[in-house]
Amino acid sequence: MLMESVDTYRCFESDEPWNDQTIDSTSFPLKPELLLAPAIPTKIVAVGLNYKEHIKEMAHESTKEPVLFLKATSSLLGPYQKIIHPAASSRVDYEAELAVVLKSRLKNASPEEAMKAVWGFTCCNDVTARDLQKVDGQWARAKGFDTFCPLGPWLVTDFVEKEQKIKCRVNGEEKQSSTIGMRIWNTAQLLSFVSHVMTLEPLDILTTGTPSGVGPVKPGDTIEVEVEGIGILKNVVTQ
């Protein structure tokens, strides 16, 4: 779908709109509560510890290379849908992130080549069962629960990375506030690095790390992740 106005949209005729941008002539009313995540990937590659202040608050040592992990594709969640607080965890945290969606295959790419494979940018909440992350020592379970990767609300294809603000609010109270320029590695560098580890496919997602200020949420809380120039990703936590 392509936003036509603030309250209407039209549909692409192709399954690969990055190659064929022909748009159907029919307009439809936008119902935000029915929006889905803007991509269905073969994999979600995430980056940890990409903001210095977040490294400090988590009491981690700085790393010479990006720290990568995978989130299950079944963790993907659309805007306005509900994050399920799993019974197995006593502490579930929000993590506001900038995410990127690809439009072409990427393998062993330079940073410059990597950016040519980008379709667009969106907001992500890298929801984390913090207590299980500490217990397990690796992050698959803590990051992989169903509904633990809200994404959206829009995919912005003309977004140019500068010093845009990234924020997270819980029940209207600001918890995280930084700029994407504070990341240690930018999107081009991260995509290049990942492409030398694994082949990235069209619609694959890369999340690029969270700033400091992470903290817990409970059932009933409303989480808003905002990236300047993209929009607000809003989800409610439920049991």
Side-chain angles (χ1 to χ4, degrees):
M1 60 176 280
L2 175 72
M3 287 294 295
E4 182 180 42
S5 69
V6 294
D7 54 9
T8 62
Y9 70 92
R10 292 163 64 184
C11 293
F12 290 105
E13 293 186 351
S14 171
D15 291 334
E16 297 183 353
W18 51 87
N19 290 324
D20 180 2
Q21 297 189 7
T22 304
I23 302 172
D24 189 273
S25 60
T26 305
S27 294
F28 299 93
L30 179 66
K31 298 180 180 180
E33 68 276 8
L34 299 181
L35 288 172
L36 301 176
I40 301 177
T42 71
K43 53 189 167 292
I44 303 167
V45 184
V47 176
L49 308 176
N50 198 23
Y51 287 77
K52 291 182 180 178
E53 292 303 314
H54 179 56
I55 293 174
K56 290 181 181 178
E57 75 175 349
M58 300 306 293
H60 277 284
E61 294 183 0
S62 298
T63 60
K64 294 182 179 180
E65 295 179 310
V67 175
L68 304 181
F69 60 95
L70 298 174
K71 290 180 77 78
T73 54
S74 54
S75 70
L76 201 62
L77 188 72
Y80 303 101
Q81 296 179 344
K82 294 181 178 180
I83 299 167
I84 299 173
H85 192 301
S89 175
S90 61
R91 174 168 169 167
V92 171
D93 283 12
Y94 53 82
E95 292 191 9
E97 306 208 8
L98 174 69
V100 60
V101 178
L102 298 186
K103 64 181 179 181
S104 58
R105 178 175 289 181
L106 205 58
K107 178 66 176 177
N108 294 332
S110 68
E112 293 75 19
E113 292 168 337
M115 291 306 293
K116 295 177 182 178
V118 170
W119 185 22
F121 292 82
T122 192
C123 305
C124 176
N125 185 354
D126 176 22
V127 184
T128 304
R130 192 70 68 198
D131 54 338
L132 302 183
Q133 183 182 31
K134 293 178 180 179
V135 168
D136 291 351
Q138 53 80 30
W139 302 354
R141 181 167 63 140
K143 302 278 191 176
F145 281 97
D146 290 353
T147 75
F148 268 28
C149 190
L151 201 73
W154 319 114
L155 183 69
V156 179
T157 57
D158 60 354
F159 183 86
V160 178
E161 292 178 302
K162 295 180 181 179
E163 294 291 334
Q164 291 94 338
K165 296 177 182 178
I166 180 169
K167 296 177 179 288
C168 182
R169 292 179 291 273
V170 178
N171 301 327
E173 181 181 352
E174 187 172 279
K175 299 293 188 179
Q176 291 181 282
S177 181
S178 188
T179 67
I180 63 172
M182 295 299 292
R183 294 174 300 172
I184 299 169
W185 293 283
N186 63 28
T187 298
Q189 294 167 324
L190 292 173
L191 284 173
S192 174
F193 181 81
V194 175
S195 78
H196 284 80
V197 177
M198 64 190 81
T199 301
L200 295 169
E201 302 289 351
L203 296 182
D204 278 355
I205 295 165
L206 174 74
T207 74
T208 65
T210 194
S212 62
V214 299
V217 290
K218 62 184 183 303
D221 286 346
T222 298
I223 308 172
E224 294 176 305
V225 172
E226 180 175 7
V227 177
E228 182 181 6
I230 294 178
I232 300 173
L233 171 64
K234 185 175 182 178
N235 299 93
V236 174
V237 182
T238 188
Q239 289 180 319

